[in-house]
Amino acid sequence: MLGTSIGGINAAIIAGNPPAARLAKLKAFWQTVSQEESVGLDLMTDPMRQKSTQWATFVAAVGGISGFFKPRFWSPFSMGLSVPPEEASFYDTAELADTLRDVVDISYLNTSGNMRLTVNALKVSSGELVSFDSQKQAIGIEHIMASGALPPGFPPVRIDGDLYWDGGLYSNTPIETIFDDTPPVDTLCFMVDLWRAEGPEPTTLNEVQTRQKDIVFASRSNRHIEAYRRTHNLQCMLQRLYAKLPVELRADVGNEVLDQLIPETTLHIVRLVYPGRDWQMAAKDINFASSSISWRWEQGYRDALQAVDQAGWLVETTEHNSVIVHDIVRNSERSA
């Protein structure tokens, strides 16, 4: 599992529990941080949904979310004054640490042979994207929280002397981490993208802010995929050329070339993009209304089922492709 920000939290819950407990722990987390409503979105018209979620985000912004974050009332930070780096935020996320301890079994997560977890965070002092990988180090609650420490709302998390912010500031869907890992076999990757790069032309201030946030946080996956495809194809070409060299000449090939030789593998990426029907407005990233969470949960489940049903990765190809992207065709799009 690989994730950043809220994706890192979800990934940690999945990887940090035995298979039989994962769904229950995921539901427990989202029930803990959701705001109960008297009327569900499915019983509202779109204008009513918009007003309801506007109110939910206002309540979250003013009062925080129990089990997740709470406002730092009267903090000098909000007045532009200096504070300790770990307190440089509008909200305190100490409650999130307690919630994560309840839903993530750190001992299970770090047991050799269990599901691998990688969460990304941004080193504040250098702007470098850092991957915390359970295959290479012990993962703790602090690594998971660092991956979701989005400023200026949430404070940075200090790990081994360095401060870290949300890895989404660098890449919200960090697929390049998988590319850097260079899997030696054909690989199937399900990529969930919560922000939609495409959208209508905005006409109001709120629409401008919504479109801006979508663009800033949308995955740069197309650019990363194309760069990986070019690099991988060159590496495969090197491998073929090396195989044709006489044995006596192979000894002259330096390690810097040998390190680039890779087998001709294919990475299948099943891309699940949030459909973008947003009544959550520009503040949708702090919308924790229970009906909105349920709606997104159900939408994601339907998309995943359709992706598995379409199973484009099982279609045989006659030529080698380093990367094949499978975008699902939703039932509503099929009938259109």
Side-chain angles (χ1 to χ4, degrees):
M1 293 292 292
L2 166 66
T4 290
S5 197
I6 197 66
I9 291 176
N10 285 326
I13 296 171
I14 293 171
N17 286 285
R22 288 167 183 166
L23 183 58
K25 291 295 186 178
L26 271 174
K27 287 184 175 180
F29 172 79
W30 284 104
Q31 287 171 354
T32 297
V33 302
S34 65
Q35 297 168 290
E36 289 301 322
E37 301 162 289
S38 57
V39 181
L41 289 180
D42 56 333
L43 300 177
M44 300 181 187
T45 62
D46 269 357
M48 291 171 63
R49 289 168 180 155
Q50 191 175 76
K51 294 298 182 184
S52 175
T53 52
Q54 282 178 333
W55 175 249
T57 55
F58 173 77
V59 171
V62 173
I65 297 293
S66 178
F68 200 154
F69 59 89
K70 62 181 181 181
R72 297 184 189 274
F73 291 115
W74 316 118
S75 169
F77 176 80
S78 61
M79 295 177 263
L81 301 178
S82 179
V83 296
E86 292 88 348
E87 298 176 14
S89 65
F90 294 121
Y91 300 97
D92 182 344
T93 55
E95 292 184 10
L96 175 60
D98 295 332
T99 299
L100 289 176
R101 292 187 186 98
D102 289 336
V103 295
V104 179
D105 185 335
I106 293 298
S107 176
Y108 181 88
L109 174 62
N110 290 297
T111 298
S112 177
N114 287 344
M115 181 183 290
R116 179 182 179 184
L117 172 69
T118 303
V119 292
N120 286 350
L122 192 74
K123 186 180 290 188
V124 175
S125 60
S126 66
E128 171 190 5
L129 186 68
V130 177
S131 295
F132 299 116
D133 187 343
S134 64
Q135 199 172 76
K136 302 175 181 178
Q137 66 188 105
I139 300 296
I141 295 298
E142 67 276 15
H143 299 95
I144 303 167
M145 291 187 63
S147 182
L150 183 64
F154 297 164
V157 177
R158 193 175 295 280
I159 301 173
D160 296 331
D162 292 310
L163 286 175
Y164 291 90
W165 273 333
D166 191 318
L169 294 172
Y170 183 94
S171 178
N172 211 51
T173 308
I175 195 168
E176 66 271 22
T177 302
I178 295 178
F179 296 155
D180 292 341
D181 201 49
T182 316
V185 295
D186 290 348
T187 302
L188 177 61
C189 169
F190 283 80
M191 183 181 77
V192 180
D193 204 342
L194 298 180
W195 303 85
R196 192 173 182 87
E198 301 81 13
E201 296 179 352
T203 59
T204 67
L205 174 60
N206 190 72
E207 289 175 358
V208 168
Q209 292 174 325
T210 304
R211 187 87 284 273
Q212 178 192 31
K213 186 169 286 189
D214 274 331
I215 292 171
V216 168
F217 288 106
S219 170
R220 302 297 188 266
S221 59
N222 287 337
R223 184 178 62 196
H224 294 313
I225 289 169
E226 188 53 39
Y228 173 79
R229 179 180 285 114
R230 290 195 301 268
T231 301
H232 190 278
N233 288 341
L234 286 173
Q235 289 175 308
C236 289
M237 185 181 299
L238 278 175
Q239 173 69 49
R240 291 192 292 269
L241 291 173
Y242 178 78
K244 292 180 180 180
L245 284 176
V247 176
E248 60 273 15
L249 293 180
R250 293 184 184 182
D252 295 331
V253 177
N255 289 333
E256 67 276 7
V257 174
L258 293 176
D259 289 342
Q260 298 300 319
L261 302 182
I262 60 174
E264 294 189 3
T265 59
T266 299
L267 175 62
H268 291 270
I269 299 174
V270 182
R271 186 160 50 188
L272 304 177
V273 182
Y274 177 62
R277 188 171 180 267
D278 285 314
W279 47 77
Q280 289 88 345
M281 315 293 281
K284 58 188 174 182
D285 50 345
I286 57 171
N287 173 21
F288 288 87
S290 58
S291 55
S292 294
I293 291 173
S294 296
W295 186 87
R296 289 185 176 223
W297 185 294
E298 292 166 5
Q299 180 65 59
Y301 181 65
R302 287 195 299 268
D303 284 356
L305 286 180
Q306 290 185 57
V308 172
D309 180 62
Q310 293 167 25
W313 58 89
L314 296 180
V315 177
E316 186 176 358
T317 57
T318 56
E319 297 181 357
H320 171 256
N321 289 287
S322 54
V323 184
I324 301 178
V325 178
H326 307 277
D327 289 309
I328 67 169
V329 180
R330 292 185 175 87
N331 292 333
S332 59
E333 296 171 350
R334 285 178 168 179
S335 59

